[in-house]
Amino acid sequence: MGHKTFKYRLFPNRAQIAVLDETLRLCRTLYNAALEERRTAYRKCGVSVSYYEQKRALTEIKADLPEYKGVHSQVLQDVVERLDKSFKGFFRRVKSGIKAGYPRFKGRFHYDSFTYPQAGKTGAMPLPESGKVYLSKIGNVRCKYHRPLEGTVKTATVKREGDKWYIVFTCEVEACPLPATGDVAGIDLGTNPNFLITSDGEFVEAPRHLKKAERKIGQLQRKASKKKRGSRRHRELKRQIAAEHRRVANRRRDFHHKTARTLVNRHDAIFHEDLNIFGLARTRTAKGVLDAGWASFINILSLKAANAGRTVLGVDPKYTSQDCSECGHRQKVKIGHAYVCANCGMDMHRDVNAAVNILNRGRDAAFCESVQSTALADQRSPLLQ
């Protein structure tokens, strides 16, 4: 069994939009109040307030503040749990010695979703036959089911993106393994002109969605800078800028899904470089790296592979572009030039050579993992006399 998400567009009426906005406001206020309670308790008394203590206090909050009676109880519990997850992540990062990032207070435009954690049973019910979805305390909201739901609905998250509303169902579905193809591939990720290159010599051109939309976004930003902040025209231009950024994100996500689906359908195992993407995002190549969206692509590829019974594995990226895939000789080659080995004379495209090296390292790593798992199984199994 696995999990799969289904995102649908909502079309609430004016009264429902007002209720949705008010629900988001109350959830955000509760989140900030819970964060303030934790901060104050630790600073003044050195006491840590737990998730269960704040969860029990929700009954008192509803009694003192009647407006919270208009929000489903499990939605409020999820707000407290969301804060608790933020603190758990903060402490985990502190222990790991990386940049921690203390949980922040949420502004009006930085809290755009709320969740029904037991959708399908209570709180939120999909109604595909009538083209609606039932949301507790809000009512039946029109919904565009552009594809059928699968499996058992577990959670439902209502999201506001700009001036549009969406609902995301998380469903438990059975895995659908694909038939074996007997083919494996290594992929070398790039930014320009190619998004990825496979060990089979296939080149996937980089779409560079942000680069293409940059001119229009820049024009809108310059116009907005000349308008009075908070005016009607300023708000309209900000809405248009946000819409352009959403289009870029949607196009990039669509490209990632289609590319990942093609790779998963063709290959039983896919090996890629285990890159430090956060580090690369702080270099001079940051713009191209972020426009390519490598982290999002690898995540989508891994999820599709897991559902299809395929293998996706990251390998050490060191010297993949400098080592000869034939004899192992190491030499530096400029970007855009062919790799001509000074030792064995092999002539190959630089990026294809890197993809072949990634494939070879992936095969070695997969073989080591299989040997270790077999040895571990032998240790656990009883000796046969």
Side-chain angles (χ1 to χ4, degrees):
M1 299 294 288
H3 289 85
K4 196 172 181 180
T5 59
F6 298 85
K7 184 177 180 180
Y8 302 112
R9 174 80 183 276
L10 294 178
F11 295 90
N13 57 38
R14 289 188 179 181
Q16 291 170 340
I17 289 175
V19 177
L20 289 169
D21 283 329
E22 179 65 8
T23 301
L24 279 180
R25 186 189 70 82
L26 292 173
C27 289
R28 177 174 59 86
T29 303
L30 177 63
Y31 182 95
N32 290 337
L35 174 56
E36 179 62 28
E37 182 185 22
R38 290 199 179 202
R39 290 182 55 174
T40 304
Y42 188 79
R43 285 180 176 178
K44 293 187 176 181
C45 307
V47 177
S48 296
V49 180
S50 69
Y51 160 67
Y52 295 100
E53 290 175 335
Q54 292 188 316
K55 185 178 176 179
R56 285 194 294 268
L58 292 175
T59 306
E60 299 176 8
I61 292 174
K62 279 192 169 186
D64 295 338
L65 302 172
E67 59 267 29
Y68 278 95
K69 294 180 180 179
V71 182
H72 194 267
S73 60
Q74 291 186 357
V75 171
L76 298 177
Q77 293 172 13
D78 182 76
V79 172
V80 178
E81 185 176 2
R82 185 182 297 190
L83 176 64
D84 187 62
K85 288 179 180 178
S86 298
F87 271 96
K88 286 179 179 177
F90 167 72
F91 291 124
R92 183 182 66 253
R93 292 188 293 272
V94 169
K95 290 181 180 178
S96 302
I98 61 178
K99 187 175 180 181
Y102 191 82
R104 302 179 183 181
F105 292 101
K106 301 293 184 181
R108 177 184 174 187
F109 299 107
H110 291 85
Y111 198 99
D112 291 325
S113 67
F114 59 91
T115 300
Y116 295 92
Q118 293 186 13
K121 296 180 179 179
T122 178
M125 296 287 293
L127 305 171
E129 300 81 8
S130 60
K132 295 182 179 180
V133 59
Y134 169 74
L135 301 176
S136 178
K137 307 291 185 177
I138 298 171
N140 291 334
V141 183
R142 285 197 303 127
C143 180
K144 177 65 175 178
Y145 292 93
H146 61 277
R147 60 170 176 161
L149 270 171
E150 299 175 13
T152 305
V153 177
K154 292 296 183 181
T155 67
T157 299
V158 178
K159 297 180 64 178
R160 180 181 62 192
E161 296 183 4
D163 56 351
K164 297 179 176 62
W165 292 88
Y166 298 87
I167 187 164
V168 181
F169 291 108
T170 301
C171 302
E172 190 176 57
V173 298
E174 292 186 4
C176 302
L178 294 175
T181 63
D183 190 19
V184 294
I187 58 173
D188 180 50
L189 297 173
T191 56
N192 184 38
N194 299 304
F195 175 73
L196 65 84
I197 302 92
T198 70
S199 54
D200 299 328
E202 181 182 358
F203 294 80
V204 178
E205 186 180 356
R208 307 185 74 187
H209 298 293
L210 180 61
K211 182 70 176 177
K212 293 177 181 177
E214 222 172 20
R215 185 169 180 270
K216 185 174 182 180
I217 292 174
Q219 289 175 343
L220 292 172
Q221 288 175 333
R222 285 190 290 273
K223 287 182 180 179
S225 67
K226 298 175 183 178
K227 305 300 179 185
K228 183 179 178 181
R229 192 177 182 88
S231 65
R232 182 183 62 81
R233 291 184 178 180
H234 183 268
R235 289 197 304 270
E236 174 60 22
L237 287 168
K238 295 293 284 185
R239 187 196 66 78
Q240 293 179 24
I241 294 169
E244 284 299 320
H245 279 292
R246 280 199 307 277
R247 290 190 189 99
V248 170
N250 290 338
R251 290 165 184 162
R252 183 185 296 119
R253 190 183 305 111
D254 178 70
F255 169 74
H256 287 168
H257 276 282
K258 290 177 178 177
T259 306
R261 172 51 58 194
T262 301
L263 290 171
V264 168
N265 287 346
R266 291 181 182 177
H267 308 290
D268 292 339
I270 303 163
F271 307 111
H272 64 87
E273 294 173 294
D274 190 11
L275 297 168
N276 179 13
I277 298 174
F278 290 105
L280 291 170
R282 296 184 179 92
T283 64
R284 60 184 181 83
T285 61
K287 197 170 186 179
V289 170
L290 295 175
D291 194 6
W294 289 342
S296 173
F297 172 72
I298 295 299
N299 182 53
I300 290 172
L301 179 65
S302 300
L303 293 174
K304 289 186 183 297
N307 186 58
R310 307 298 205 204
T311 300
V312 172
L313 184 65
V315 301
D316 187 0
K318 291 182 180 178
Y319 306 113
T320 53
S321 298
Q322 299 181 22
D323 289 350
C324 175
S325 57
E326 290 290 337
C327 65
H329 174 72
R330 184 170 295 169
Q331 65 184 41
K332 291 186 177 181
V333 180
K334 292 183 179 180
I335 297 175
H337 289 67
Y339 189 102
V340 181
C341 182
N343 184 46
C344 66
M346 184 205 69
D347 188 353
M348 187 182 292
H349 191 282
R350 177 181 182 272
D351 295 332
V352 176
N353 175 70
V356 174
N357 282 327
I358 294 167
L359 173 61
N360 294 334
R361 293 185 186 184
R363 280 174 169 163
D364 294 340
F367 176 75
C368 292
E369 284 187 1
S370 64
V371 170
Q372 290 176 358
S373 61
T374 303
L376 184 61
D378 291 341
Q379 291 175 4
R380 291 177 178 175
S381 61
L383 294 175
L384 298 176
Q385 300 297 334

